[in-house]
Amino acid sequence: MSQHRPAGASGRAGAVPALPDLPEATVARLPEYLRALHNLAEAGDDTVSSEGLAAAAGVNSAKLRKDLSHLGSYGTRGVGYDVALLIHQIEYVLGLTHRRAVALVGVGNLGHALAGYAGFASRGFRIAALFDADPTRVGEEINGLTVRHIDDLLQTAAEEHIAIGVIATPASAAQRVTDLLVAAGVTSILNFAPCVLAVPEGVDVRKVDLAIELQILSFHEHRKASLTALPGGRDEADPNLAATGTDDTVASASVEPAAPGRTRPTRTEVVGS
């Protein structure tokens, strides 16, 4: 996850309130809480219990209460959490109180889909510029934006105040794009290319590799199959259990993916790793 940066000395006139020093696992869960809270708000709920919010976010309530205590939010006994207030607190901590401009580099099949995704706007982000090195792509209009040549990235990043770069290029081009983004002053990068990027200290990289996520799921499928195939396994007693997926032994063996670790210089992280 992104490393916390100093937010200004306390007591100084006009200083930004210091961010809490949150555990990385807590930071990874905050977006899930925020998503659930927005759904509750849209449904007209003003308050929510810790159990209700935990269920909506897919975590246990004890973990949720501990996470929110880091924000100074403890809820009210018998009432729960104020939905609007908690949304504000989490959005502040995640830096979503204003929209962040995003540059998307690579408008192939994946990039084209990302450029057209309407969900970014509701989550606090604005796709401000699209880039590609393919001359046949340059000039194409996607979701109201014209694709620019990658050579225009430095100038455009300054003009659009780009905060985050998204790389959806082939692996062979990803490092060059990363270097351009860093040169343009972009210090947060989301990488969809199947490769590890070298970045200087102070640049945070998140890596999304769908093939890796599928391989992890394949492991769990393999594990479940091997457990039910053991001598005396539940499938011997009742083969229908393995087919219906109601085997309690198998379910209890499922492993929750570890929370992402802290970003280190000159390396990238895999989401869900």
Side-chain angles (χ1 to χ4, degrees):
M1 296 307 257
S2 297
Q3 299 170 335
H4 298 300
R5 294 178 172 81
S10 60
R12 192 174 63 196
V16 176
L19 290 175
D21 188 13
L22 300 179
E24 294 295 338
T26 295
V27 176
R29 288 188 289 268
L30 288 181
E32 294 295 338
Y33 301 153
L34 186 59
R35 173 191 55 77
L37 286 163
H38 276 299
N39 289 339
L40 289 166
E42 290 171 4
D45 295 320
D46 296 322
T47 60
V48 61
S49 66
S50 59
E51 290 79 9
L53 181 55
V59 302
N60 65 64
S61 57
K63 184 179 294 184
L64 177 137
R65 286 192 293 269
K66 184 175 181 180
D67 286 341
L68 297 185
S69 71
H70 290 298
L71 309 185
S73 185
Y74 298 92
T76 303
R77 184 179 295 276
V79 176
Y81 294 93
D82 182 301
V83 171
L85 176 60
L86 196 50
I87 287 175
H88 175 76
Q89 288 177 315
I90 294 177
E91 287 185 341
Y92 169 73
V93 169
L94 292 179
L96 301 177
T97 51
H98 62 277
R99 280 191 180 181
R100 297 191 181 276
V102 176
L104 172 61
V105 185
V107 292
N109 292 335
L110 176 59
H112 200 287
L114 292 171
Y117 177 54
F120 290 129
S122 63
R123 299 294 184 92
F125 302 95
R126 175 177 64 90
I127 302 295
L130 306 174
F131 299 94
D132 205 290
D134 185 349
T136 64
R137 296 279 188 182
V138 176
E140 181 181 350
E141 186 169 305
I142 305 174
N143 202 25
L145 289 174
T146 301
V147 178
R148 311 182 194 205
H149 195 275
I150 187 65
D151 291 344
D152 296 333
L153 191 151
L154 289 175
Q155 179 180 344
T156 304
E159 293 173 350
E160 297 290 343
H161 305 288
I162 300 298
I164 298 173
V166 177
I167 298 176
T169 67
S172 58
Q175 186 61 56
R176 175 176 177 254
V177 170
T178 298
D179 295 340
L180 285 173
L181 288 168
V182 171
V186 176
T187 57
S188 293
I189 296 172
L190 181 62
N191 178 32
F192 283 90
C195 63
V196 175
L197 300 176
V199 295
E201 184 176 357
V203 175
D204 296 320
V205 177
R206 297 284 298 178
K207 182 180 178 183
V208 182
D209 192 320
L210 300 181
I212 286 178
E213 299 305 315
L214 288 171
Q215 289 168 345
I216 292 171
L217 288 175
S218 177
F219 162 78
H220 291 301
E221 286 298 307
H222 188 192
R223 181 186 178 94
K224 286 181 284 189
S226 64
L227 285 174
T228 57
L230 290 173
R234 293 291 293 276
D235 59 335
E236 285 191 4
D238 187 350
N240 291 327
L241 288 177
T244 59
T246 56
D247 187 336
D248 292 339
T249 302
V250 173
S252 65
S254 296
V255 179
E256 180 181 354
R262 181 179 297 274
T263 300
R264 306 291 183 190
T266 69
R267 69 179 290 266
T268 60
E269 298 174 353
V270 178
V271 172
S273 64

